[in-house]
């Protein structure tokens, strides 16, 4: 398997003052010699005094002006921009709590991994595996042994030493206690500390996803001796520590004074992440200076910032977000493949993308463009009302006898998507009821209990095709062929081999239509002038904040 071991603008100069030194003209006139005869002694003395005074005044003015000009060129505190000790970032979704070992939700990973908690390896904004607590690693030819070489002199934010024992314990505990995402290391036999700086992972079967999974929750390292409330706080080895957390308001971070990695030390002392679920309120917060960065800005609201490039920067990039319209295939209404296929034909994806500002990417299957195994599958179900109607008629439904379905999704995504789907599907004989709920309710009813007919959510996670090969996941999708292909992809010992199996499996899933992928969400970030170091790609899932600065 492939592996990777691996300025602000100058302040503007102020205008220089070139005032010249001069004597008082009236005093000069009085200094003229009287006609005829030599000047008197007192007059000579007076002239001498006046000359000395003039010279002193001239020299003083000259040096005062020179000092002012030099200060202007260098940029003193009154004229130069200052680096702020606080940067505030606005994001859309808030985690329910901070317990990253138990609580689901991508917002937790987005905020805590790489900022507060660190893993044995990490990922960068290009979606590639990078060194983390381990500076290098080797994988055996049979794919069953991973040997990690750790950095030295590492510690947690409370000062406790971090070594190979902590790494091995954390990974073993993940599996033993069945923490969130423990299934990502199901091939693991054991993790063991070879010595203080070496960890060996032994697998029962090859797992081509293991290294990637270890960049997320599966690879996080915890201090087993630390005492803290994991729901309201967090204690890790990262560049920041948690000051406070309120899921209805904000997360406050401060620089970890004991951070071990000099290359990733926090450049800004205080980072505040505000949870702004209302898009207009978020935009107003940026315009009003309450936040300096907004990530996940609707493209329809960015024109005002694009037209003000002197004060704002707007960027859009591909990501792993997939807006998934899931069909509960265990529901009798949706067990009929013809109905599911009709829904896919009936959805006008171009119209939906255009209504959102036209920046999102068409996505015809379960793997996004930034992930292994991606293939363009948008041609499988092109928009066709006629085909959709024909399939619905075969299944026994018409405009006069519509199919009643309920779509449940979190109100954080707004009402427009629901309204569009209701309108589009009404044309093919589906009467769609929209059930808007709180995100916490969606997590409980849909994600945990699997109780729904149609569901809509943004799945931001990368490398998450395994969900389509897991019948117990809320999709309820159970296809043996897909499961076998995914197993082969995991057992592959080369990237090309794994990608080939993933492409086959993804195409089968898309053809079977257990969901529709409305679009690949492209993340738009808006930053105020003076912000530097904010990650421009994959900020929905990877949000390292250590390099962020703001010059006012």
């Amino acid at each position: 398997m492939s592996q990777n071991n691996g300025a602000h603008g100058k302040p503007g100069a102020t205008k220089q003052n070139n005032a010249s030194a001069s004597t008082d003209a009236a005093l000069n006139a009085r200094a003229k010699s009287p006609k005829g005869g030599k000047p008197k002694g007192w007059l000579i003395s007076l002239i001498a005094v006046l000359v000395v005074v003039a010279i002193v005044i001239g020299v003083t003015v000259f040096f005062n002006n020179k000092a002012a000009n030099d200060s202007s060129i260098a940029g003193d505190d009154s004229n130069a921009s200052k680096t702020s000790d606080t940067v505030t970032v606005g994001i859309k979704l808030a985690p329910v709590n901070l317990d990253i070992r138990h609580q689901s939700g991508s917002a937790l990973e987005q905020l805590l991994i790489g900022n507060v908690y660190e893993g044995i390896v990490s990922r960068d904004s290009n979606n590639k595996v990078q060194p983390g607590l381990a500076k290098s690693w080797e994988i055996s030819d049979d794919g069953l042994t991973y040997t990690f070489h750790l950095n030295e002199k590492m510690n947690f934010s409370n000062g406790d030493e971090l070594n190979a024992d902590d790494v091995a314990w954390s990974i073993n505990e993940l599996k033993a206690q069945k923490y969130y995402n423990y299934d990502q290391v199901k091939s693991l036999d054991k993790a063991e500390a070879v010595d203080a700086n070496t960890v060996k992972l032994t697998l029962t079967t090859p797992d081509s996803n293991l290294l990637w999974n270890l960049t997320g929750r599966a690879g996080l390292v915890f201090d087993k001796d630390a005492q803290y409330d994991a729901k309201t706080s967090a204690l890790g080895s990262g560049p920041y520590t948690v000051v406070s957390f309120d899921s209805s308001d904000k997360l406050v971070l401060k620089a970890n004074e004991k951070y071990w990695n000099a290359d990733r030390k926090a450049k800004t002392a205080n980072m505040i992440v505000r949870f702004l679920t209302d898009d207009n309120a978020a935009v107003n917060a940026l315009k009003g200076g309450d936040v300096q960065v907004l990530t996940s800005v609707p493209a329809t609201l960015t024109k005002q910032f694009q037209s003000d490039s002197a004060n704002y920067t707007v960027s859009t990039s591909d990501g792993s977000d997939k807006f998934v319209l899931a069909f509960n295939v265990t529901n009798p209404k949706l067990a009929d493949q013809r109905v599911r296929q009709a829904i896919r034909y009936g959805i006008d994806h171009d119209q939906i993308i255009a209504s959102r500002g036209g920046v999102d990417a068409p996505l015809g299957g379960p793997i996004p463009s930034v992930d292994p195994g991606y293939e363009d599958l948008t041609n499988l179900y092109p928009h066709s009302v006629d085909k959709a109607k024909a399939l619905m008629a075969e299944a026994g439904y018409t405009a006069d006898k519509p199919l009643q379905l309920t779509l449940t999704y979190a109100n954080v995504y707004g009402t427009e998507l629901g309204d569009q789907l209701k309108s589009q599907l009404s044309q093919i004989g589906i009467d769609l009821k929209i059930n808007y709920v709180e995100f916490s309710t969606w997590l409980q009813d849909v994600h945990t209990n699997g109780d729904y007919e149609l569901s809509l959510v943004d799945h931001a996670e990368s490398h998450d095709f395994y969900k389509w090969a897991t019948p117990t996941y809320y999709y309820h999708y159970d296809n043996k062929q897909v499961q076998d292909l995914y197993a082969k992809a995991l057992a592959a010992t080369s990237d090309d081999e794994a990608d080939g199996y993933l492409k086959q499996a993804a195409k089968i899933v898309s053809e079977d239509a257990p969901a529709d992928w409305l679009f690949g969400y492209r993340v738009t970030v808006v930053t105020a002038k003076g912000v530097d170091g904010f990650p421009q790609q994959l900020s929905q899932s990877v949000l390292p904040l250590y390099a962020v600065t703001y010059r006012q």
Side-chain angles (χ1 to χ4, degrees), residues 407-428:
L407 166 61
T408 301
Y409 76 95
N411 53 18
V412 295
Y413 300 119
T415 62
E416 185 175 5
L417 274 174
D419 292 340
Q420 286 177 306
L421 291 170
K422 182 180 179 67
S423 175
Q424 291 181 4
L425 296 182
S426 68
Q427 300 175 40
I428 67 169

Side-chain angles (χ1 to χ4, degrees), residues 59-365:
V59 170
T60 300
V61 171
F62 172 79
F63 279 105
N64 281 346
N65 281 329
K66 184 178 186 300
N69 290 337
D70 290 346
S71 174
S72 170
I73 293 171
D76 61 16
D77 288 343
S78 63
N79 292 313
S81 60
K82 300 178 182 178
T83 300
S84 175
D85 65 356
T86 303
V87 177
T88 303
V89 178
I91 69 173
K92 194 173 185 69
L93 292 180
V96 176
N97 61 60
L98 297 183
D99 191 352
I100 200 164
R101 287 193 284 192
H102 293 93
Q103 181 61 54
S104 62
S106 60
L108 260 181
E109 299 162 14
Q110 177 190 23
L111 293 177
L112 297 184
I113 296 179
N115 291 317
V116 179
Y117 293 116
E118 292 181 305
I120 188 170
V121 287
S122 66
R123 73 183 76 159
D124 62 17
S125 292
N126 292 316
N127 219 24
K128 303 297 182 183
V129 177
Q130 298 291 335
L133 297 175
K135 59 186 177 182
S136 63
W137 55 88
E138 298 97 37
I139 304 173
S140 62
D141 291 340
D142 61 6
L144 296 179
T145 304
Y146 289 63
T147 304
F148 295 91
H149 305 283
L150 305 182
N151 291 284
E152 299 179 359
K153 297 180 180 180
M154 297 188 296
N155 58 274
F156 294 100
S157 62
N158 60 359
D160 288 356
E161 180 185 5
L162 191 165
N163 58 31
D165 288 331
D166 298 293
V167 176
W169 174 82
S170 296
I171 296 175
N172 286 329
E173 280 289 286
L174 170 78
K175 187 170 184 178
Q177 301 299 327
K178 295 185 177 181
Y179 293 138
Y180 192 83
N181 280 357
Y182 78 95
D183 54 335
Q184 292 184 349
V185 295
K186 62 183 178 182
S187 62
L188 176 72
D189 178 32
K190 61 180 177 179
E192 55 187 324
V194 177
D195 56 43
N197 297 311
T198 309
V199 177
K200 182 170 72 173
L201 272 57
T202 304
L203 281 58
T204 56
T205 58
D207 182 355
S208 62
N209 268 346
L210 180 68
L211 197 60
W212 167 261
N213 288 335
L214 291 175
T215 69
R217 299 192 196 212
L220 296 183
V221 177
F222 300 89
D223 183 354
K224 64 180 177 180
D225 299 322
Q227 299 293 321
Y228 60 97
D229 184 348
K231 291 187 176 181
T232 59
S233 189
L235 193 153
S237 61
Y240 282 100
T241 61
V242 173
V243 175
S244 63
F245 168 69
D246 181 347
S247 62
S248 66
D249 186 16
K250 62 188 175 184
L251 171 71
V252 179
L253 304 172
K254 71 174 180 179
N256 176 10
E257 296 178 355
K258 300 176 181 178
Y259 188 48
W260 61 272
N261 190 345
D263 293 334
R264 292 175 63 92
K265 271 191 172 294
K267 293 184 177 180
T268 297
N270 307 291
M271 296 296 306
I272 300 173
V273 182
R274 291 187 56 192
F275 310 126
L276 302 170
T277 57
D278 181 86
D279 292 329
N280 289 315
V283 166
N284 289 334
L286 179 60
K287 291 167 65 176
D290 295 328
V291 301
Q292 289 75 55
V293 182
L294 275 185
T295 180
S296 186
V297 185
T300 54
L301 298 178
T302 61
K303 291 182 180 179
Q304 57 193 305
F305 300 114
Q306 290 172 330
S307 62
D308 189 5
S309 58
N311 293 307
Y312 301 98
T313 299
V314 180
S315 62
T316 303
S317 62
D318 291 333
S320 57
D321 292 63
K322 306 160 290 291
F323 266 66
V324 181
L325 180 67
F327 312 146
N328 186 347
V329 294
T330 62
N331 183 284
K333 301 175 186 176
L334 294 158
D336 190 333
Q337 186 189 45
R338 294 171 298 184
V339 171
R340 304 196 305 269
Q341 291 176 323
I343 294 174
R344 295 204 64 187
Y345 279 122
I347 295 175
D348 187 343
H349 300 88
D350 290 341
Q351 182 190 76
I352 290 175
I353 290 173
S355 71
R356 292 171 50 82
V359 301
D360 295 320
L363 182 63

Side-chain angles (χ1 to χ4, degrees), residues 270-544:
N270 307 291
M271 296 296 306
I272 300 173
V273 182
R274 291 187 56 192
F275 310 126
L276 302 170
T277 57
D278 181 86
D279 292 329
N280 289 315
V283 166
N284 289 334
L286 179 60
K287 291 167 65 176
D290 295 328
V291 301
Q292 289 75 55
V293 182
L294 275 185
T295 180
S296 186
V297 185
T300 54
L301 298 178
T302 61
K303 291 182 180 179
Q304 57 193 305
F305 300 114
Q306 290 172 330
S307 62
D308 189 5
S309 58
N311 293 307
Y312 301 98
T313 299
V314 180
S315 62
T316 303
S317 62
D318 291 333
S320 57
D321 292 63
K322 306 160 290 291
F323 266 66
V324 181
L325 180 67
F327 312 146
N328 186 347
V329 294
T330 62
N331 183 284
K333 301 175 186 176
L334 294 158
D336 190 333
Q337 186 189 45
R338 294 171 298 184
V339 171
R340 304 196 305 269
Q341 291 176 323
I343 294 174
R344 295 204 64 187
Y345 279 122
I347 295 175
D348 187 343
H349 300 88
D350 290 341
Q351 182 190 76
I352 290 175
I353 290 173
S355 71
R356 292 171 50 82
V359 301
D360 295 320
L363 182 63
I367 298 180
S369 62
V370 298
D371 278 3
Y374 169 73
E375 183 179 11
D376 184 358
L377 300 174
T378 53
N379 62 337
L380 291 180
Y381 289 95
H383 178 53
S384 174
V385 172
D386 290 340
K387 285 185 179 180
K389 284 183 176 179
L391 287 165
M392 289 297 290
E394 289 180 20
Y397 303 102
T398 64
D400 296 329
K401 185 187 174 183
L403 171 62
Q404 306 285 332
L405 288 174
T406 298
L407 166 61
T408 301
Y409 76 95
N411 53 18
V412 295
Y413 300 119
T415 62
E416 185 175 5
L417 274 174
D419 292 340
Q420 286 177 306
L421 291 170
K422 182 180 179 67
S423 175
Q424 291 181 4
L425 296 182
S426 68
Q427 300 175 40
I428 67 169
I430 293 178
D431 183 6
L432 189 65
K433 176 184 176 182
I434 311 298
N435 181 26
Y436 302 107
V437 298
E438 297 293 327
F439 190 67
S440 58
T441 301
W442 182 91
L443 282 173
Q444 184 62 44
D445 294 349
V446 178
H447 188 269
T448 302
N449 297 335
D451 184 13
Y452 71 100
E453 291 183 341
L454 271 64
S455 171
L456 170 61
V457 74
D458 172 15
H459 278 285
E461 301 90 341
S462 182
H463 289 63
D464 64 349
F465 181 81
Y466 70 91
K467 296 171 182 176
W468 294 104
T470 308
T472 55
Y473 193 67
Y474 86 88
Y475 293 152
H476 303 312
Y477 183 64
D478 190 355
N479 185 303
K480 300 302 181 186
Q481 187 179 7
V482 169
Q483 292 160 25
D484 289 344
L485 286 167
Y486 184 65
K488 290 179 179 179
L490 290 181
T493 55
S494 75
D495 288 343
D496 289 343
E497 185 183 6
D499 285 359
Y501 288 127
L502 286 172
K503 286 180 180 179
Q504 292 180 55
K507 188 173 183 180
I508 292 171
V509 171
S510 184
E511 289 174 337
D512 206 9
D516 185 83
W517 295 268
L518 297 180
F519 49 85
Y521 176 50
R522 301 187 76 233
V523 181
T524 299
V525 175
V526 183
T527 58
K529 180 183 178 182
V531 172
D532 190 33
F534 189 83
Q536 295 300 312
Q537 298 190 97
L538 297 174
S539 59
Q540 285 292 89
S541 54
V542 182
L543 192 61

